[in-house]
Amino acid sequence: MSSTAYAEGLAGKVIGFSQIGSESGWRAAETSVTKAEAERLGVDLKFADAQQKQENQIKALRGFIAQGVDAILIAPVVSTGWEEVLTEAKDAEIPVVLLDRGIDAPEDLYLTSVASDQVKEGRVAGEWLVSTVGDRECKVVELQGTVGSSPAINRKQGFEEGIASASNISIIRSQTGDFTRSKGKEVMEGFLKAEGGGAGICAVYAHNDDMAVGAIQAIKDAGLKPGSDILVVSIDAVPDIFAAMVSGEANATVELTPNMAGPAFAALDAYLNAGTVPEKFIITESKLYTPADDPQGEYDRRKGLGY
Ligand code: AHR
């Protein structure tokens, strides 16, 4: 069905949402956008915060199945280990929509996946660095996301692809910062120490903005200038990274929309009310932002949207 208004046919439906947790500003934005959209549409959203644990997500899904919800949304913390519980949802004829992260499981176990092309995000970041540093030698330190999560795996791969043509750019250190600001800072402090204070580091590539913001603090504490002594490139495009761009402390970010729920609710409306099967992968945009793109305006716009 194509509703006259977006997803209006979901009013009164009960939808379970298993969220990863609140590790980043982006995650908080996704949660608030999803709740707001559900309220606007009259969806009875059952929200479960897994506090970064897959076992909590599996438990939440089993609870939703036992309640007989109309559909399930899940942002899967890691990519493996989902087959059993998704088979249970399938047997109960409850459609599951994956939000923002992918999984290694047969595609018939979920209705659709709403996510970005995470390899592309990394590639866009890497290509930005190649065009920014030109021929000069550039040693990069990398802050990876949560181990075993699809964005950490794919953004690493994409960045490596993006810099592959530039023999002057190399990744000299790479470690997980778990997508959090505090771990991003802690790991960056370790990188700076291990690299004799950091003077030889040309750039930090962080798999999300929160880790970049933590790294920026560590760079400043080490007496260096983020944004000039050490370039900072990351992914998400949350307000705080635009604030850092306004201060000259961040150089580029790749946008990940927190509005995964919009396409997910539209797909569920069409499926539940008209049996229309959506495309298996609904891919969101990956736009690059730099200080040339009115960072103050982007900051204000996102704050205005409640991010
Ligand atoms: O899965 C999306 C990633 O998860 C976001 O880039 C990051 O901020 C979040 O924690």
Side-chain angles (χ1 to χ4, degrees), residues 23-24 26-27 100-101 151 155 179 208 236 256:
E23 73 279 4
S24 65
W26 185 89
R27 183 70 50 202
D100 77 82
R101 293 189 184 183
R155 288 172 183 172
F179 282 130
N208 79 346
D236 275 357
L256 174 67

mmCIF file with all atom_site columns, all heavy atoms in Angstrom, residues 23-24 26-27 100-101 151 155 179 208 236 256, ligand 1:
data_model
loop_
_atom_site.group_PDB
_atom_site.id
_atom_site.type_symbol
_atom_site.label_atom_id
_atom_site.label_alt_id
_atom_site.label_comp_id
_atom_site.label_asym_id
_atom_site.label_entity_id
_atom_site.label_seq_id
_atom_site.pdbx_PDB_ins_code
_atom_site.Cartn_x
_atom_site.Cartn_y
_atom_site.Cartn_z
_atom_site.occupancy
_atom_site.B_iso_or_equiv
_atom_site.pdbx_formal_charge
_atom_site.auth_seq_id
_atom_site.auth_comp_id
_atom_site.auth_asym_id
_atom_site.auth_atom_id
_atom_site.pdbx_PDB_model_num
ATOM   1   N N   . GLU A 1 23  ? 25.725 4.848  23.413 1.00 0.00 ? 23  GLU A N   1
ATOM   2   C CA  . GLU A 1 23  ? 27.179 5.035  23.373 1.00 0.00 ? 23  GLU A CA  1
ATOM   3   C C   . GLU A 1 23  ? 27.628 6.342  22.727 1.00 0.00 ? 23  GLU A C   1
ATOM   4   O O   . GLU A 1 23  ? 28.745 6.789  22.977 1.00 0.00 ? 23  GLU A O   1
ATOM   5   C CB  . GLU A 1 23  ? 27.842 3.836  22.675 1.00 0.00 ? 23  GLU A CB  1
ATOM   6   C CG  . GLU A 1 23  ? 27.673 3.755  21.150 1.00 0.00 ? 23  GLU A CG  1
ATOM   7   C CD  . GLU A 1 23  ? 26.334 3.180  20.689 1.00 0.00 ? 23  GLU A CD  1
ATOM   8   O OE1 . GLU A 1 23  ? 25.478 2.897  21.546 1.00 0.00 ? 23  GLU A OE1 1
ATOM   9   O OE2 . GLU A 1 23  ? 26.145 3.020  19.480 1.00 0.00 ? 23  GLU A OE2 1
ATOM   10  N N   . SER A 1 24  ? 26.776 6.920  21.904 1.00 0.00 ? 24  SER A N   1
ATOM   11  C CA  . SER A 1 24  ? 27.229 8.097  21.147 1.00 0.00 ? 24  SER A CA  1
ATOM   12  C C   . SER A 1 24  ? 26.093 9.116  20.993 1.00 0.00 ? 24  SER A C   1
ATOM   13  O O   . SER A 1 24  ? 24.918 8.794  21.182 1.00 0.00 ? 24  SER A O   1
ATOM   14  C CB  . SER A 1 24  ? 27.689 7.659  19.752 1.00 0.00 ? 24  SER A CB  1
ATOM   15  O OG  . SER A 1 24  ? 26.593 7.141  19.013 1.00 0.00 ? 24  SER A OG  1
ATOM   16  N N   . TRP A 1 26  ? 25.173 10.229 18.178 1.00 0.00 ? 26  TRP A N   1
ATOM   17  C CA  . TRP A 1 26  ? 24.365 9.750  17.050 1.00 0.00 ? 26  TRP A CA  1
ATOM   18  C C   . TRP A 1 26  ? 23.308 8.755  17.539 1.00 0.00 ? 26  TRP A C   1
ATOM   19  O O   . TRP A 1 26  ? 22.148 8.814  17.130 1.00 0.00 ? 26  TRP A O   1
ATOM   20  C CB  . TRP A 1 26  ? 25.270 9.093  15.994 1.00 0.00 ? 26  TRP A CB  1
ATOM   21  C CG  . TRP A 1 26  ? 24.477 8.717  14.780 1.00 0.00 ? 26  TRP A CG  1
ATOM   22  C CD1 . TRP A 1 26  ? 24.245 9.499  13.693 1.00 0.00 ? 26  TRP A CD1 1
ATOM   23  C CD2 . TRP A 1 26  ? 23.731 7.504  14.587 1.00 0.00 ? 26  TRP A CD2 1
ATOM   24  N NE1 . TRP A 1 26  ? 23.407 8.832  12.813 1.00 0.00 ? 26  TRP A NE1 1
ATOM   25  C CE2 . TRP A 1 26  ? 23.082 7.614  13.337 1.00 0.00 ? 26  TRP A CE2 1
ATOM   26  C CE3 . TRP A 1 26  ? 23.546 6.344  15.332 1.00 0.00 ? 26  TRP A CE3 1
ATOM   27  C CZ2 . TRP A 1 26  ? 22.268 6.606  12.815 1.00 0.00 ? 26  TRP A CZ2 1
ATOM   28  C CZ3 . TRP A 1 26  ? 22.729 5.338  14.812 1.00 0.00 ? 26  TRP A CZ3 1
ATOM   29  C CH2 . TRP A 1 26  ? 22.105 5.480  13.573 1.00 0.00 ? 26  TRP A CH2 1
ATOM   30  N N   . ARG A 1 27  ? 23.714 7.860  18.420 1.00 0.00 ? 27  ARG A N   1
ATOM   31  C CA  . ARG A 1 27  ? 22.778 6.843  18.918 1.00 0.00 ? 27  ARG A CA  1
ATOM   32  C C   . ARG A 1 27  ? 21.620 7.510  19.664 1.00 0.00 ? 27  ARG A C   1
ATOM   33  O O   . ARG A 1 27  ? 20.456 7.110  19.529 1.00 0.00 ? 27  ARG A O   1
ATOM   34  C CB  . ARG A 1 27  ? 23.545 5.882  19.847 1.00 0.00 ? 27  ARG A CB  1
ATOM   35  C CG  . ARG A 1 27  ? 22.753 4.719  20.395 1.00 0.00 ? 27  ARG A CG  1
ATOM   36  C CD  . ARG A 1 27  ? 22.374 3.674  19.383 1.00 0.00 ? 27  ARG A CD  1
ATOM   37  N NE  . ARG A 1 27  ? 23.439 3.198  18.576 1.00 0.00 ? 27  ARG A NE  1
ATOM   38  C CZ  . ARG A 1 27  ? 23.268 2.613  17.374 1.00 0.00 ? 27  ARG A CZ  1
ATOM   39  N NH1 . ARG A 1 27  ? 22.072 2.447  16.872 1.00 0.00 ? 27  ARG A NH1 1
ATOM   40  N NH2 . ARG A 1 27  ? 24.303 2.211  16.662 1.00 0.00 ? 27  ARG A NH2 1
ATOM   41  N N   . ASP A 1 100 ? 20.461 0.549  10.956 1.00 0.00 ? 100 ASP A N   1
ATOM   42  C CA  . ASP A 1 100 ? 21.810 1.141  10.935 1.00 0.00 ? 100 ASP A CA  1
ATOM   43  C C   . ASP A 1 100 ? 23.006 0.196  10.982 1.00 0.00 ? 100 ASP A C   1
ATOM   44  O O   . ASP A 1 100 ? 24.122 0.626  10.720 1.00 0.00 ? 100 ASP A O   1
ATOM   45  C CB  . ASP A 1 100 ? 21.961 2.291  11.960 1.00 0.00 ? 100 ASP A CB  1
ATOM   46  C CG  . ASP A 1 100 ? 22.128 1.882  13.417 1.00 0.00 ? 100 ASP A CG  1
ATOM   47  O OD1 . ASP A 1 100 ? 23.254 1.552  13.809 1.00 0.00 ? 100 ASP A OD1 1
ATOM   48  O OD2 . ASP A 1 100 ? 21.135 1.917  14.163 1.00 0.00 ? 100 ASP A OD2 1
ATOM   49  N N   . ARG A 1 101 ? 22.814 -1.069 11.328 1.00 0.00 ? 101 ARG A N   1
ATOM   50  C CA  . ARG A 1 101 ? 23.934 -2.024 11.297 1.00 0.00 ? 101 ARG A CA  1
ATOM   51  C C   . ARG A 1 101 ? 23.498 -3.310 10.602 1.00 0.00 ? 101 ARG A C   1
ATOM   52  O O   . ARG A 1 101 ? 22.340 -3.717 10.730 1.00 0.00 ? 101 ARG A O   1
ATOM   53  C CB  . ARG A 1 101 ? 24.421 -2.352 12.712 1.00 0.00 ? 101 ARG A CB  1
ATOM   54  C CG  . ARG A 1 101 ? 25.055 -1.169 13.385 1.00 0.00 ? 101 ARG A CG  1
ATOM   55  C CD  . ARG A 1 101 ? 25.721 -1.531 14.691 1.00 0.00 ? 101 ARG A CD  1
ATOM   56  N NE  . ARG A 1 101 ? 26.237 -0.319 15.319 1.00 0.00 ? 101 ARG A NE  1
ATOM   57  C CZ  . ARG A 1 101 ? 26.928 -0.299 16.448 1.00 0.00 ? 101 ARG A CZ  1
ATOM   58  N NH1 . ARG A 1 101 ? 27.199 -1.422 17.088 1.00 0.00 ? 101 ARG A NH1 1
ATOM   59  N NH2 . ARG A 1 101 ? 27.364 0.841  16.944 1.00 0.00 ? 101 ARG A NH2 1
ATOM   60  N N   . PRO A 1 151 ? 29.643 -1.484 11.336 1.00 0.00 ? 151 PRO A N   1
ATOM   61  C CA  . PRO A 1 151 ? 30.308 -0.237 10.942 1.00 0.00 ? 151 PRO A CA  1
ATOM   62  C C   . PRO A 1 151 ? 31.809 -0.257 11.205 1.00 0.00 ? 151 PRO A C   1
ATOM   63  O O   . PRO A 1 151 ? 32.573 0.347  10.442 1.00 0.00 ? 151 PRO A O   1
ATOM   64  C CB  . PRO A 1 151 ? 29.600 0.846  11.773 1.00 0.00 ? 151 PRO A CB  1
ATOM   65  C CG  . PRO A 1 151 ? 28.815 0.144  12.803 1.00 0.00 ? 151 PRO A CG  1
ATOM   66  C CD  . PRO A 1 151 ? 28.561 -1.234 12.314 1.00 0.00 ? 151 PRO A CD  1
ATOM   67  N N   . ARG A 1 155 ? 33.770 0.314  7.892  1.00 0.00 ? 155 ARG A N   1
ATOM   68  C CA  . ARG A 1 155 ? 34.411 1.636  7.784  1.00 0.00 ? 155 ARG A CA  1
ATOM   69  C C   . ARG A 1 155 ? 35.931 1.486  7.727  1.00 0.00 ? 155 ARG A C   1
ATOM   70  O O   . ARG A 1 155 ? 36.611 2.310  7.125  1.00 0.00 ? 155 ARG A O   1
ATOM   71  C CB  . ARG A 1 155 ? 33.982 2.525  8.955  1.00 0.00 ? 155 ARG A CB  1
ATOM   72  C CG  . ARG A 1 155 ? 32.543 2.966  8.832  1.00 0.00 ? 155 ARG A CG  1
ATOM   73  C CD  . ARG A 1 155 ? 32.009 3.673  10.051 1.00 0.00 ? 155 ARG A CD  1
ATOM   74  N NE  . ARG A 1 155 ? 30.594 3.996  9.874  1.00 0.00 ? 155 ARG A NE  1
ATOM   75  C CZ  . ARG A 1 155 ? 29.798 4.476  10.811 1.00 0.00 ? 155 ARG A CZ  1
ATOM   76  N NH1 . ARG A 1 155 ? 30.267 4.706  12.020 1.00 0.00 ? 155 ARG A NH1 1
ATOM   77  N NH2 . ARG A 1 155 ? 28.525 4.725  10.540 1.00 0.00 ? 155 ARG A NH2 1
ATOM   78  N N   . PHE A 1 179 ? 33.261 3.298  19.978 1.00 0.00 ? 179 PHE A N   1
ATOM   79  C CA  . PHE A 1 179 ? 32.289 4.321  19.584 1.00 0.00 ? 179 PHE A CA  1
ATOM   80  C C   . PHE A 1 179 ? 31.993 5.334  20.694 1.00 0.00 ? 179 PHE A C   1
ATOM   81  O O   . PHE A 1 179 ? 31.013 6.079  20.593 1.00 0.00 ? 179 PHE A O   1
ATOM   82  C CB  . PHE A 1 179 ? 30.966 3.701  19.109 1.00 0.00 ? 179 PHE A CB  1
ATOM   83  C CG  . PHE A 1 179 ? 30.999 3.136  17.700 1.00 0.00 ? 179 PHE A CG  1
ATOM   84  C CD1 . PHE A 1 179 ? 30.542 1.845  17.437 1.00 0.00 ? 179 PHE A CD1 1
ATOM   85  C CD2 . PHE A 1 179 ? 31.445 3.902  16.635 1.00 0.00 ? 179 PHE A CD2 1
ATOM   86  C CE1 . PHE A 1 179 ? 30.549 1.320  16.142 1.00 0.00 ? 179 PHE A CE1 1
ATOM   87  C CE2 . PHE A 1 179 ? 31.453 3.392  15.336 1.00 0.00 ? 179 PHE A CE2 1
ATOM   88  C CZ  . PHE A 1 179 ? 31.002 2.100  15.083 1.00 0.00 ? 179 PHE A CZ  1
ATOM   89  N N   . ASN A 1 208 ? 33.597 7.166  14.414 1.00 0.00 ? 208 ASN A N   1
ATOM   90  C CA  . ASN A 1 208 ? 32.438 8.036  14.657 1.00 0.00 ? 208 ASN A CA  1
ATOM   91  C C   . ASN A 1 208 ? 32.892 9.367  15.268 1.00 0.00 ? 208 ASN A C   1
ATOM   92  O O   . ASN A 1 208 ? 34.048 9.517  15.704 1.00 0.00 ? 208 ASN A O   1
ATOM   93  C CB  . ASN A 1 208 ? 31.336 7.361  15.494 1.00 0.00 ? 208 ASN A CB  1
ATOM   94  C CG  . ASN A 1 208 ? 31.605 7.331  16.981 1.00 0.00 ? 208 ASN A CG  1
ATOM   95  O OD1 . ASN A 1 208 ? 32.726 7.573  17.430 1.00 0.00 ? 208 ASN A OD1 1
ATOM   96  N ND2 . ASN A 1 208 ? 30.582 7.026  17.767 1.00 0.00 ? 208 ASN A ND2 1
ATOM   97  N N   . ASP A 1 236 ? 29.448 10.542 11.041 1.00 0.00 ? 236 ASP A N   1
ATOM   98  C CA  . ASP A 1 236 ? 28.172 10.743 11.764 1.00 0.00 ? 236 ASP A CA  1
ATOM   99  C C   . ASP A 1 236 ? 27.529 12.099 11.460 1.00 0.00 ? 236 ASP A C   1
ATOM   100 O O   . ASP A 1 236 ? 26.335 12.189 11.267 1.00 0.00 ? 236 ASP A O   1
ATOM   101 C CB  . ASP A 1 236 ? 28.273 10.636 13.293 1.00 0.00 ? 236 ASP A CB  1
ATOM   102 C CG  . ASP A 1 236 ? 28.174 9.198  13.806 1.00 0.00 ? 236 ASP A CG  1
ATOM   103 O OD1 . ASP A 1 236 ? 27.973 8.274  12.984 1.00 0.00 ? 236 ASP A OD1 1
ATOM   104 O OD2 . ASP A 1 236 ? 28.327 9.001  15.019 1.00 0.00 ? 236 ASP A OD2 1
ATOM   105 N N   . LEU A 1 256 ? 25.734 10.442 8.637  1.00 0.00 ? 256 LEU A N   1
ATOM   106 C CA  . LEU A 1 256 ? 24.890 9.253  8.801  1.00 0.00 ? 256 LEU A CA  1
ATOM   107 C C   . LEU A 1 256 ? 23.579 9.777  9.379  1.00 0.00 ? 256 LEU A C   1
ATOM   108 O O   . LEU A 1 256 ? 23.560 10.270 10.513 1.00 0.00 ? 256 LEU A O   1
ATOM   109 C CB  . LEU A 1 256 ? 25.549 8.279  9.788  1.00 0.00 ? 256 LEU A CB  1
ATOM   110 C CG  . LEU A 1 256 ? 24.718 7.054  10.167 1.00 0.00 ? 256 LEU A CG  1
ATOM   111 C CD1 . LEU A 1 256 ? 24.526 6.136  8.969  1.00 0.00 ? 256 LEU A CD1 1
ATOM   112 C CD2 . LEU A 1 256 ? 25.389 6.275  11.303 1.00 0.00 ? 256 LEU A CD2 1
HETATM 113 O O1  . AHR B 2 .   ? 25.818 2.008  13.760 1.00 0.00 ? 1   AHR B O1  1
HETATM 114 C C1  . AHR B 2 .   ? 26.035 3.366  13.635 1.00 0.00 ? 1   AHR B C1  1
HETATM 115 C C2  . AHR B 2 .   ? 27.133 3.832  14.544 1.00 0.00 ? 1   AHR B C2  1
HETATM 116 O O2  . AHR B 2 .   ? 26.840 3.470  15.859 1.00 0.00 ? 1   AHR B O2  1
HETATM 117 C C3  . AHR B 2 .   ? 27.343 5.323  14.594 1.00 0.00 ? 1   AHR B C3  1
HETATM 118 O O3  . AHR B 2 .   ? 28.189 5.794  13.613 1.00 0.00 ? 1   AHR B O3  1
HETATM 119 C C4  . AHR B 2 .   ? 27.971 5.465  15.930 1.00 0.00 ? 1   AHR B C4  1
HETATM 120 O O4  . AHR B 2 .   ? 28.044 6.780  16.390 1.00 0.00 ? 1   AHR B O4  1
HETATM 121 C C5  . AHR B 2 .   ? 27.097 4.571  16.712 1.00 0.00 ? 1   AHR B C5  1
HETATM 122 O O5  . AHR B 2 .   ? 27.526 4.270  17.927 1.00 0.00 ? 1   AHR B O5  1
#
